[in-house]
Amino acid sequence: MHRFQNLPSVLGLAIVGLISGMSSVLAQKTIPSCQPPNAGEYLLLVVSPTANNQKQLRSALPPELKTITCKYLNETVTRVGGFNKIDDANRWARYVSNIVGLSAIITTRPTTTANVQPQSQPQSQPKPPQQTVSYNPQALGEGYAVLVDYYNRPELVNSVQQVVGGNVGFVSYGQRPYLLAVYTTNQTEAYNTLQKLNNGGFVASLVDSRKVILLRSTVRF
């Protein structure tokens, strides 16, 4: 009988440990949405789905760069500071890729959004731009994709075409539709396009093209 005298206390400790573990798991799942960049700011979002990824990233970055774990679309990312120049964001993106082995998204918000203000329309089922070429959905290959949030305004296609000097595609990224300004394996070309779009007043992002689904190769309004 003596061996069972401490059984209630043992069970109590086990239950407390289980509850603590469940609370810890629930706390980890409560990840806030990422705050958007300020006007004219280039923001680095490093894809870091695990706690180990996040720890490695923070240990590799200098303390003056503020890092916050948050949700961007369906990705768990580490939001790294804010940069006034695309070259700075580009340099840190390469550093993170080379040192930590994590991919980064560079997103920006133009200093003026006069040309791309969202309309008061439901966003649950965005209207795609007019499609001129039939294309079966497929993932893009390795490289860089510069995406433009068109705010359910397909007439922006013509404006984006003027900036990039060519055709614009229609894609899905993170289960959301975007205009594809450029898909390339040339990093310099991708960053130059991102900067052109920002200067033109568009809300654009540079992402890993392997996570982008091409819906239409060419669209026109």
Side-chain angles (χ1 to χ4, degrees), residues 104-201:
I105 299 167
I106 294 179
T107 185
T108 183
R109 178 182 172 189
T111 53
T112 174
T113 57
N115 296 329
V116 291
Q117 285 291 340
Q119 301 296 308
S120 300
Q121 300 177 5
Q123 298 183 2
S124 56
Q125 295 181 340
K127 178 183 177 182
Q130 180 179 345
Q131 299 146 4
T132 59
V133 179
S134 179
Y135 213 90
N136 294 325
Q138 60 177 308
L140 295 178
E142 185 174 353
Y144 308 91
V146 179
L147 312 181
V148 177
D149 195 330
Y150 69 102
Y151 293 116
N152 200 21
R153 293 178 60 193
E155 65 269 20
L156 290 180
V157 170
N158 293 335
S159 300
V160 175
Q161 285 177 334
Q162 292 176 5
V163 173
V164 301
N167 292 328
V168 172
F170 186 58
V171 299
S172 173
Y173 177 76
Q175 298 181 349
R176 283 190 57 197
Y178 290 90
L179 300 178
L180 176 64
V182 69
Y183 160 52
T184 178
T185 57
N186 187 313
Q187 189 179 59
T188 301
E189 179 185 0
Y191 284 113
N192 287 343
T193 302
L194 180 67
Q195 189 167 31
K196 286 181 182 178
L197 291 165
N198 181 50
N199 293 339

Side-chain angles (χ1 to χ4, degrees), residues 27-173:
Q28 292 177 1
K29 290 184 178 180
T30 307
I31 301 176
S33 298
C34 293
Q35 293 297 314
N38 296 320
E41 176 187 37
Y42 293 94
L43 189 65
L44 197 63
L45 303 175
V46 183
V47 180
S48 47
T50 69
N52 187 46
N53 291 151
Q54 298 156 18
K55 181 179 179 181
Q56 288 180 331
L57 179 61
R58 289 191 176 94
S59 64
L61 294 175
E64 58 266 23
L65 288 180
K66 296 181 180 179
T67 60
I68 299 174
T69 301
C70 54
K71 279 285 188 181
Y72 178 73
L73 299 179
N74 291 327
E75 300 271 14
T76 297
V77 302
T78 299
R79 186 184 191 274
V80 183
F83 307 96
N84 295 324
K85 297 180 179 179
I86 192 172
D87 290 341
D88 295 335
N90 183 15
R91 184 169 61 253
W92 281 108
R94 288 200 306 266
Y95 172 83
V96 167
S97 177
N98 294 334
I99 301 301
V100 192
L102 298 175
S103 61
I105 299 167
I106 294 179
T107 185
T108 183
R109 178 182 172 189
T111 53
T112 174
T113 57
N115 296 329
V116 291
Q117 285 291 340
Q119 301 296 308
S120 300
Q121 300 177 5
Q123 298 183 2
S124 56
Q125 295 181 340
K127 178 183 177 182
Q130 180 179 345
Q131 299 146 4
T132 59
V133 179
S134 179
Y135 213 90
N136 294 325
Q138 60 177 308
L140 295 178
E142 185 174 353
Y144 308 91
V146 179
L147 312 181
V148 177
D149 195 330
Y150 69 102
Y151 293 116
N152 200 21
R153 293 178 60 193
E155 65 269 20
L156 290 180
V157 170
N158 293 335
S159 300
V160 175
Q161 285 177 334
Q162 292 176 5
V163 173
V164 301
N167 292 328
V168 172
F170 186 58
V171 299
S172 173
Y173 177 76

